[in-house]
């Protein structure tokens, strides 16, 4: 049977459990770790810097791990070994975070270990999707993957806020368990293509493979970035620039909204996390349609529409938060955030397929690494930059800050000429 005949949406749905577990972890992490850090008396820009640790690891490791997983060959495939290597320690250390929230140094040790473990398998998990999906189905498949991620975020925000009120450690423990279970489902139920497996014994060991591919990964990253800059078309450069800019805008809200809710709107952090859950709810409902809209309307047009809509909605949040307080303000922001989830789905679901459809199947992991290089570089810059702005001008600046960078990303996106769906893999 050909690869196209073997493709099934159900297989992609099962793979989505990997993204489900990752989304649960990051939603709880971004909701409550800034609160723990702020309660230790740290300035907002320091809190923002600490919140970039995962992004620093991502920028350093994900391009390398994307290339490394491209050339890895084991009896279970080229992506699964990294899930087995990273998910268990990530789950354990994440569950330990609230038990060390009162002391900065022990807390930082646990947080750094957890982030390193997460970085080991994020890029291979995401690169797994285009491995098993032909080009013309990747927007739809990424919609399914992000739908599962949306379920994870929704569960984290809504159920996590309830658990947090009972005991702050409960959402962390529950999330660690869910990460383990979801990763196990991917390992057991999603088979990798036979061409990426080896039945041979006595091949190079994993440590030897790490050394062998380190220089190769640096060469590939350099070559891919050089091509992005020197290619006369420059579609890859403009696409990576757009991703970089919109993640600067979006990450600031993801990191600081619970703080914004507590110290600017005047509601507790659990309620702020609950409100943020409406973004996840909107994303969950519209992730699948966003993939099909991208396939029908075109990925670039769909992402542009999403950016325009998100800018308008965040302006509405800014007006609501600055003009009034109380239950009505919460309801208005919940509605706007719900629609914001739809807008973010139009953007996010179609962005990764656009990047990976600028290359060949052999370099899917490398280009997935480039995608994360752009998004995580933005996420390194965004929290301390937004935190510094908050320290200077207050939380009132959060929404205008995000709107500005989303607008810049919409401009650079218009120069992208490649990345639409093509026939086959």
């Amino acid at each position: 049977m050909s690869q196209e005949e073997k493709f099934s949406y159900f297989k992609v749905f099962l793979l989505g459990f990997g993204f489900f577990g990752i989304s649960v972890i990051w939603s709880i992490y971004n909701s409550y770790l800034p609160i723990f850090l702020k309660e230790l008396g740290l300035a907002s820009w320091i809190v923002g810097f600490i919140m970039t640790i995962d992004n620093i690891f991502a920028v350093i490791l994900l391009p390398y791990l994307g290339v490394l997983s491209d050339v890895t060959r084991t009896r279970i495939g080229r992506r699964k070994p990294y899930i087995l290597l990273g998910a268990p320690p990530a789950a354990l250390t994440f569950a330990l975070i609230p038990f060390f929230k009162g002391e900065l140094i022990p807390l930082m040790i646990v947080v750094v270990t957890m982030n390193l473990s997460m970085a080991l398998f994020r890029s291979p998990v995401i690169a797994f999707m285009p491995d098993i999906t032909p080009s013309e189905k990747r927007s739809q498949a990424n919609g399914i993957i992000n739908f599962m991620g949306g379920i994870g975020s929704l569960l984290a925000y809504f159920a996590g806020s309830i658990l947090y009120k009972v005991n702050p450690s409960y959402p962390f423990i529950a999330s660690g368990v869910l990460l383990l279970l979801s990763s196990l489902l991917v390992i057991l139920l999603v088979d990798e293509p036979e061409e990426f497996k080896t039945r041979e014994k006595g091949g190079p060991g994993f440590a030897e493979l790490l050394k062998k591919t380190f220089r190769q990964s640096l060469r590939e990253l350099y070559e891919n970035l050089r091509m992005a800059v020197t290619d006369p078309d420059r579609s890859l450069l403009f696409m990576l620039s757009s991703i970089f800019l919109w993640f600067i805008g979006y990450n600031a809200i993801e990191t600081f909204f619970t703080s914004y809710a507590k110290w600017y709107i005047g509601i507790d952090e659990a309620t702020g996390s609950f409100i943020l859950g409406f973004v996840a709810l909107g994303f969950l409902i519209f992730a699948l349609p966003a993939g099909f809209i991208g396939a029908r309307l075109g990925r670039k047009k769909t992402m542009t529409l999403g950016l325009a809509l998100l800018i308008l909605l965040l302006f509405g949040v800014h007006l609501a938060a600055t003009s009034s307080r109380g239950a009505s303000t919460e309801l208005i922001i919940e509605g706007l955030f719900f629609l914001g989830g739809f807008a973010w789905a139009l953007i996010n679901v179609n962005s990764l397929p656009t990047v990976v459809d600028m290359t060949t199947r052999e370099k899917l992991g490398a280009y997935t690494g480039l995608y994360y290089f752009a998004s995580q570089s933005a996420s390194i810059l965004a929290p301390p930059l937004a935190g510094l702005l908050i320290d200077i001008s207050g939380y009132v600046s959060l929404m205008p800050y995000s709107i500005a960078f989303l607008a810049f990303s919409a401009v650079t996106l218009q120069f992208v000429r490649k990345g639409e769906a093509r026939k086959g893999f």
Side-chain angles (χ1 to χ4, degrees):
M1 294 175 67
S2 69
Q3 286 295 332
E4 290 189 49
E5 289 173 324
K6 291 181 181 180
F7 171 76
S8 74
Y9 285 113
F10 181 67
K11 190 174 181 180
V12 176
F13 169 77
L14 292 174
L15 178 58
F17 277 99
F19 201 44
F20 167 87
I22 292 172
S23 296
V24 169
I25 291 291
W26 292 126
S27 297
I28 295 295
Y29 182 87
N30 288 324
S31 291
Y32 299 115
L33 184 61
I35 302 296
F36 295 165
L37 295 170
K38 192 67 178 178
E39 288 176 344
L40 289 172
L42 301 179
S44 293
W45 74 268
I46 297 177
V47 173
F49 176 76
I50 292 173
M51 294 301 293
T52 68
I53 291 174
D54 63 311
N55 312 117
I56 293 170
F57 278 131
V59 167
I60 294 172
L61 293 176
L62 294 195
Y64 167 51
L65 290 168
V67 174
L68 180 62
S69 66
D70 278 345
V71 299
T72 296
R73 296 294 183 271
T74 72
R75 281 175 283 182
I76 60 174
R78 62 176 179 173
R79 312 296 186 193
K80 290 183 181 180
Y82 301 93
I83 303 175
L84 290 171
L85 185 66
L92 175 61
T93 49
F94 185 76
L96 292 175
I97 286 175
F99 296 99
F100 295 95
K101 66 177 184 175
E103 297 290 337
L104 181 60
I105 293 178
L107 176 62
M108 292 308 303
I109 292 172
V110 173
V111 165
V112 169
T113 305
M114 170 259 172
N115 278 288
L116 176 60
S117 301
M118 290 292 292
L120 293 176
F121 71 101
R122 284 174 71 185
S123 187
V125 165
I126 303 304
F128 204 156
M129 183 277 287
D131 277 349
I132 61 174
T133 308
S135 172
E136 67 269 22
K137 301 288 187 182
R138 283 174 184 162
S139 283
Q140 300 94 312
N142 206 39
I144 295 172
I145 296 292
N146 281 276
F147 172 80
M148 295 298 292
I151 293 177
S153 296
L154 190 69
L155 186 65
Y157 288 130
F158 289 158
S161 67
I162 296 171
L163 291 173
Y164 185 87
K165 290 177 180 178
V166 178
N167 189 310
S169 66
Y170 287 175
F172 288 84
I173 296 171
S175 298
V177 172
L178 286 175
L179 177 62
L180 282 177
L181 293 176
S182 60
S183 299
L184 184 62
L185 284 174
V186 172
I187 294 295
L188 295 178
L189 300 180
V190 185
D191 197 29
E192 295 202 34
E194 289 297 320
E195 65 193 274
F196 302 134
K197 297 180 181 180
T198 179
R199 304 296 179 186
E200 298 177 1
K201 296 182 179 180
F206 193 65
E208 183 180 346
L209 187 62
L210 287 173
K211 295 177 183 179
K212 180 180 179 181
T213 57
F214 180 70
R215 290 184 179 178
Q216 178 185 352
S217 68
L218 292 178
R219 286 195 302 269
E220 289 236 10
L221 177 60
Y222 170 77
E223 180 59 30
N224 291 332
L225 290 174
R226 186 192 65 80
M227 183 180 67
V229 173
T230 60
D231 186 351
D233 181 81
R234 298 196 176 179
S235 286
L236 179 59
L237 176 64
F238 283 118
M239 188 63 211
L240 294 176
S241 298
S242 297
I243 292 167
F244 176 80
L245 290 167
W246 74 49
F247 269 104
I248 287 181
Y250 185 81
N251 184 270
I253 295 175
E254 193 176 42
T255 301
F256 284 108
F257 182 76
T258 51
S259 303
Y260 176 87
K262 182 172 184 176
W263 287 297
Y264 184 65
I265 301 177
I267 56 181
D268 64 86
E269 63 267 32
T271 303
S273 177
F274 183 84
I275 293 173
L276 198 58
F278 281 87
V279 178
L281 177 61
F283 188 92
L284 171 66
I285 293 173
F286 291 111
L288 291 174
F292 285 91
I293 291 170
R296 185 66 180 268
L297 184 62
R299 292 167 181 169
K300 176 181 167 181
K301 290 181 180 179
T302 302
M303 289 184 288
T304 301
L305 177 63
L307 286 166
L309 180 58
L310 188 56
I311 288 168
L312 289 174
L313 293 168
L314 291 181
F315 182 69
V317 172
H318 177 71
L319 291 179
T322 55
S323 61
S324 62
R325 295 289 188 274
S328 61
T329 302
E330 293 179 26
L331 289 173
I332 291 170
I333 295 176
E334 286 170 357
L336 291 171
F337 271 16
F338 174 76
L339 294 175
F342 170 49
W344 185 238
L346 293 176
I347 301 163
N348 205 37
V349 165
N350 290 286
S351 58
L352 176 64
T354 301
V355 173
V356 298
D357 275 342
M358 294 183 187
T359 189
T360 62
R361 197 178 188 204
E362 288 72 23
K363 291 189 174 183
L364 289 175
Y367 270 59
T368 301
L370 280 181
Y371 171 86
Y372 275 110
F373 182 81
S375 63
Q376 301 304 314
S377 294
S379 298
I380 289 173
L381 179 62
L385 181 61
L388 180 61
L389 188 63
I390 289 169
D391 286 336
I392 294 171
S393 56
Y395 283 101
V396 68
S397 61
L398 180 62
M399 297 300 159
Y401 164 95
S402 295
I403 289 169
F405 281 99
L406 291 169
F408 293 146
S409 72
V411 173
T412 56
L413 182 61
Q414 304 317 302
F415 296 95
V416 175
R417 301 285 182 262
K418 296 178 182 177
E420 298 293 344
R422 59 180 188 263
K423 189 68 177 175
F425 284 84

